[in-house]
Amino acid sequence: MRNGRLWMWWLAAGVVATAVHFVLPEGGLAGSVVYDLIGLATAVGILLALRLHRPERPAMWRWFAAGQITFVIGDVIYGYYEQVLDKSPYPSPADVFYLASYPMLVMGLLLLVRRRRSGSGDLIDAAIVATGIGLVFWLFVLQPVAADAGVSALERVTTVAYPAADTLLIALLARLFTSGGARSPSARLLVAGAVLMLAADTAFAVLPLYTSASLHLADPIFLLSYVLWSAAALHPSMAGERGGGARGAATVGPSRLLLFGACSLLAPALLFVPGIGGSPIGRFSVAVGAGALILLVIARMSGFVFEVRRQSAELTRAAMQDELTGLASRRCLEDTLRDALAGGGRPQIALLGLNGFKNVNDELGRPVGDRLLTSLATRLRAVAPDDALIARIGGDEFAVLLVSSSAEEARTVASTLAHTLSAPVAVGGHELYVGVAIGLAGGAGVTPVELLRQAESAMYAAKQTGEPVRRWSPTLDERAGEFVRLGAEIRAALDSGQFRVVYQPIVDLPSGRVAAVEALVRWEHPTRGLVSPAAFIPVAERNGLIVELGEWILRTACHRLAAWRASLGAGAPDRVSVNVSARQLARPHFAATVAAALADSGLPASCLAVEVTETAVFEGGQAVVALHELRALGVRIALDDFGTGHSSLGLLQTVPVDILKVDKSFVDDVTEAGRHTVIAEALYQVSSGLGLVAVAEGVETAAQAEALHRIGYRYLQGFHFGRPVADPDFALTTVIATAEPQEARA
């Protein structure tokens, strides 16, 4: 912290010392000593800053220190002549050191300028400013000084050398002022010091030409420039003033335009200054300066036009191309589709929607998801026809436009695309699988927006039915309209209490006791009558109302079983099973919802089982996390429709499962020797070997029940034991009188 404020103390001390020097008698020994001490302190301050802040590239500061030391040597020599020898020679050996310091200071400024990498436009901006100011400097300083120089060649050269060096300072300062990017406090102090140096030199040259004032007036300006340079070096930000750094783009704002305009108008304005317009040298100088400014402004305007065109081309390219995959963008697709339809064509479009891509982003991170999309885009390019336009139109949606293909050809292409994208993708050490659903649409007489809507409708229909490819038809729109109407009615039904919960027994063999019940929902519509769950559950899944409906079913079922346990005691079922959808499992706080329902009803967690389908947990992610959280609560997990998915056994390794509900399709023909019986036996062996409870669903006859019990199944469910009703009969039922399980016979 102490070093961080050192520059402030140094600056304050320098200002005080400068004031002390100014009030001392002009030409006295004390004033000369103070002047030299301030100059020497400046060099010491720069060298001290190099040790304190240790910049990575200190060359710039070393040049400043060397220049300052050289200038101080010149001051000491001149003071010796003036105070000891009582002479004021001009030129003198002191001028050698004064002039030698300028290249060093210019070198330091040049390194600062080079730090800001320049484009041609920035250099032209600097040239405009330097030309305008330089013209003024030439007319009022350099040319009068040269004309008034002494008779000797040495005196003339020395006199002109000072303003010539200042002209170089003007050019460098113009470059610094017109450069873009943020400047550090250290750089700002450096620039301020250089400006004061230029002002002091100008005052030193101009005062004798136009006034009879003492040159002592320029001394404080010189000293303040020294102080500012040392303060710039001592500022902590000096460590960041390194060569080769990146430069921010210079912006063309009102102040910048005002500066350029003022510099451009300087030339004609100077013609109205007395002594300039009437002088041949003045008119010639103004003409040359004006011509140079006009050419520079024309060059800068040309640069502006070129830059605008370049940026316009980049924006167009960015708008027409997907940045991640390099495929065409949605805008490019729509433009091409519009042109094809306007030309009387019958384009075909395949809209591809990925399944499970969100889980990849959530679980493995967006970088892995981006690499997955890039890999899939590469596959699309490889298998799509050469004349097809491939576009990425959304986060996980692609489109393939076939301008001159028939509907049958489009279906063939879509089937190839579906097969190609269905293969696993190796990304970042992971073997990833994402399914795809493709919607097809095509024809003439529609707008691009409508054609895309049709393809999107077909794609969503394919996702719902599990088909890889689906072509749009008017019935899809009719179905979509029905979905919208039914969704609104579901909302009203929830608000008005039209839903009710019914319970289907799960029977324990051979006793016939109702060991559990499955809670199912029914909708008693005031005008439609009893609406099948197969009609409204998919709609509720799609519009999200299944979350609210599922929570209501859960709470109702928990309260109902708690009431049965209170009234029936041991005659009540052991547990109630509640179906849970994928949307419910995807909610981060689903386990908390279940815990709240249990606490509110007073039902023990062991008395509740949640039933999930294989498709709801196949993609992993939050769904599996939720099941682990439920297991931690003590809730039992049932895998519904087991055996119908394409990775049922694999799920048993990742999903916490207590109960396997064997699908009805394996029960229907269990009384006949054949594949279904073998599968039913195998599924039972799997559940038994893993210590899981197996429940056979869809039992409709006594023969099926006997066959299943003979295989070893202990828990059965189906119409044979009772249909779903609001108040099941829990009395014992003689289901099988003589059959023995295989294990008993063995």
Side-chain angles (χ1 to χ4, degrees):
M1 180 62 71
R2 185 166 50 196
N3 291 342
R5 293 181 177 178
L6 179 59
W7 71 276
M8 299 175 62
W9 293 109
W10 192 280
L11 183 61
V15 171
V16 171
T18 300
V20 170
H21 169 268
F22 187 71
V23 299
L24 290 174
E26 181 180 354
L29 178 61
S32 179
V33 171
V34 171
Y35 193 99
D36 294 342
L37 287 176
I38 294 174
L40 183 62
T42 296
V44 172
I46 296 175
L47 295 176
L48 175 64
L50 286 173
R51 295 183 61 86
L52 287 177
H53 301 306
R54 298 187 181 278
E56 183 178 329
R57 298 180 180 179
M60 177 179 74
W61 300 102
R62 288 174 179 165
W63 280 112
F64 280 125
Q68 187 59 38
I69 292 172
T70 305
F71 218 99
V72 171
I73 293 173
D75 287 335
V76 171
I77 292 174
Y78 190 81
Y80 173 77
Y81 272 98
E82 194 174 48
Q83 301 298 329
V84 178
L85 302 179
D86 197 23
K87 295 180 180 179
S88 299
Y90 180 77
S92 71
D95 291 294
V96 176
F97 288 93
Y98 286 146
L99 291 173
S101 69
Y102 278 93
M104 301 176 190
L105 297 176
V106 166
M107 192 64 190
L109 287 174
L110 188 60
L111 290 176
L112 179 61
V113 168
R114 289 181 58 190
R115 179 180 173 270
R116 291 170 170 82
R117 294 174 181 170
S118 306
S120 59
D122 293 336
L123 296 178
I124 294 174
D125 292 346
I128 292 174
V129 176
T131 301
I133 298 177
L135 178 60
V136 175
F137 194 75
W138 160 258
L139 290 173
F140 291 98
V141 179
L142 190 58
Q143 192 272 334
V145 168
D148 193 57
V151 292
S152 71
L154 183 59
E155 185 176 351
R156 185 181 297 272
V157 169
T158 304
T159 302
V160 173
Y162 283 104
D166 290 332
T167 303
L168 185 55
L169 281 178
I170 289 175
L172 290 173
L173 289 173
R175 176 67 191 91
L176 284 169
F177 278 119
T178 56
S179 64
R183 300 184 185 91
S184 68
S186 176
R188 293 179 184 275
L189 290 169
L190 274 177
V191 172
V195 170
L196 287 181
M197 180 78 172
L198 177 60
D201 274 346
T202 303
F204 197 85
V206 168
L207 285 175
L209 293 175
Y210 300 103
T211 70
S212 59
S214 171
L215 293 177
H216 184 58
L217 295 174
D219 289 343
I221 308 177
F222 276 118
L223 292 177
L224 287 176
S225 70
Y226 300 166
V227 172
L228 285 174
W229 279 342
S230 59
L234 289 168
H235 196 283
S237 64
M238 68 87 73
E241 290 299 330
R242 303 166 184 163
R247 179 188 72 83
T251 58
V252 182
S255 59
R256 195 176 180 86
L257 290 175
L258 182 62
L259 176 62
F260 295 157
C263 291
S264 301
L265 292 174
L266 273 176
L270 289 172
L271 293 175
F272 296 95
V273 176
I276 300 296
S279 167
I281 294 179
R283 290 196 302 271
F284 178 76
S285 300
V286 170
V288 172
L293 286 169
I294 290 172
L295 292 176
L296 288 170
V297 170
I298 291 175
R300 191 60 174 117
M301 293 303 297
S302 300
F304 280 141
V305 173
F306 174 79
E307 184 68 15
V308 168
R309 288 180 176 175
R310 184 188 64 80
Q311 292 181 356
S312 177
E314 287 187 358
L315 289 174
T316 301
R317 182 193 60 78
M320 303 299 280
Q321 186 179 46
D322 177 59
E323 182 179 1
L324 175 64
T325 63
L327 300 177
S329 66
R330 186 184 187 98
R331 176 180 171 182
C332 180
L333 175 72
E334 291 177 348
D335 289 349
T336 306
L337 188 56
R338 185 178 296 106
D339 293 342
L341 291 169
R346 301 179 61 85
Q348 300 287 324
I349 185 168
L351 190 63
L352 296 79
L354 304 180
N355 298 322
F357 176 72
K358 183 178 182 299
N359 291 330
V360 174
N361 272 348
D362 292 344
E363 295 178 26
L364 303 179
R366 190 169 296 277
V368 174
D370 289 346
R371 291 172 60 185
L372 174 62
L373 291 174
T374 303
S375 299
L376 296 177
T378 302
R379 289 188 183 182
L380 286 174
R381 287 195 191 96
V383 299
D386 294 336
D387 60 345
L389 176 68
I390 310 171
R392 180 181 175 219
I393 62 173
D396 59 352
E397 292 183 356
F398 298 87
V400 177
L401 176 62
L402 305 169
V403 177
S404 57
S405 297
S406 64
E408 197 57 39
E409 290 171 338
R411 177 170 285 276
T412 301
V413 170
S415 299
T416 303
L417 296 176
H419 176 73
T420 301
L421 296 186
S422 64
V425 182
V427 176
H430 304 278
E431 196 79 7
L432 303 178
Y433 170 83
V434 288
V436 62
I438 302 179
L440 289 175
V446 293
T447 64
V449 174
E450 174 61 16
L451 202 58
L452 284 170
R453 187 200 65 78
Q454 292 177 2
E456 186 176 27
S457 177
M459 180 194 71
Y460 283 126
K463 284 191 174 187
Q464 291 172 0
T465 59
E467 301 172 81
V469 181
R470 182 73 177 268
R471 174 166 283 278
W472 178 85
S473 64
T475 57
L476 290 181
D477 284 350
E478 295 174 5
R479 183 179 301 175
E482 177 63 18
F483 264 52
V484 172
R485 289 189 294 271
L486 201 57
E489 293 181 3
I490 292 174
R491 174 72 271 167
L494 280 168
D495 295 337
S496 59
Q498 297 175 16
F499 291 103
R500 61 187 179 92
V501 178
V502 294
Y503 305 88
Q504 186 173 32
I506 300 174
V507 176
D508 178 6
L509 297 183
S511 67
R513 174 179 174 269
V514 177
V517 291
E518 179 180 357
L520 302 168
V521 66
R522 295 293 183 264
W523 183 7
E524 294 181 346
H525 195 280
T527 57
R528 297 173 183 256
L530 191 63
V531 181
S532 169
F536 68 83
I537 291 296
V539 179
E541 284 271 10
R542 184 168 175 178
N543 62 18
L545 288 175
I546 192 66
V547 174
E548 184 177 343
L549 178 60
E551 183 177 348
W552 175 80
I553 296 170
L554 171 68
R555 290 183 175 275
T556 302
C558 288
H559 278 280
R560 191 62 186 276
L561 180 56
W564 283 332
R565 285 165 55 86
S567 60
L568 300 178
D574 297 332
R575 67 178 182 275
V576 61
S577 293
V578 178
N579 292 281
V580 175
S581 73
R583 275 188 178 256
Q584 289 175 275
L585 291 174
R587 294 296 178 98
H589 306 296
F590 177 68
T593 300
V594 174
L598 292 171
D600 186 52
S601 62
L603 186 70
S606 59
C607 294
L608 174 65
V610 297
E611 295 192 14
V612 297
T613 62
E614 296 177 28
T615 55
V617 295
F618 167 71
E619 294 175 351
Q622 179 60 36
V624 175
V625 172
L627 293 184
H628 280 286
E629 292 173 345
L630 292 174
R631 168 69 75 80
L633 291 176
V635 176
R636 308 187 76 183
I637 311 298
L639 197 57
D640 201 10
D641 301 332
F642 185 75
T644 58
H646 58 278
S647 62
S648 300
L649 295 177
L651 287 176
L652 299 180
Q653 297 178 333
T654 58
V655 178
V657 178
D658 302 290
I659 303 166
L660 294 183
K661 301 197 73 175
V662 178
D663 189 70
K664 182 179 184 298
S665 60
F666 305 117
V667 172
D668 289 340
D669 299 321
V670 74
T671 57
E672 303 174 9
R675 299 179 60 174
H676 288 83
T677 302
V678 173
I679 294 175
E681 292 176 351
L683 294 178
Y684 173 75
Q685 294 298 331
V686 168
S687 62
S688 178
L690 295 176
L692 307 178
V693 174
V695 178
E697 295 184 290
V699 180
E700 297 183 349
T701 66
Q704 290 174 338
E706 184 177 351
L708 291 167
H709 184 255
R710 188 165 52 249
I711 291 173
Y713 285 91
R714 180 181 173 186
Y715 297 100
L716 306 182
Q717 176 182 356
F719 288 170
H720 177 64
F721 305 104
R723 293 181 176 273
V725 293
D727 295 298
D729 183 4
F730 299 133
L732 290 177
T733 303
T734 302
V735 181
I736 299 175
T738 59
E740 296 281 339
Q742 285 183 346
E743 288 89 346
R745 293 199 304 272

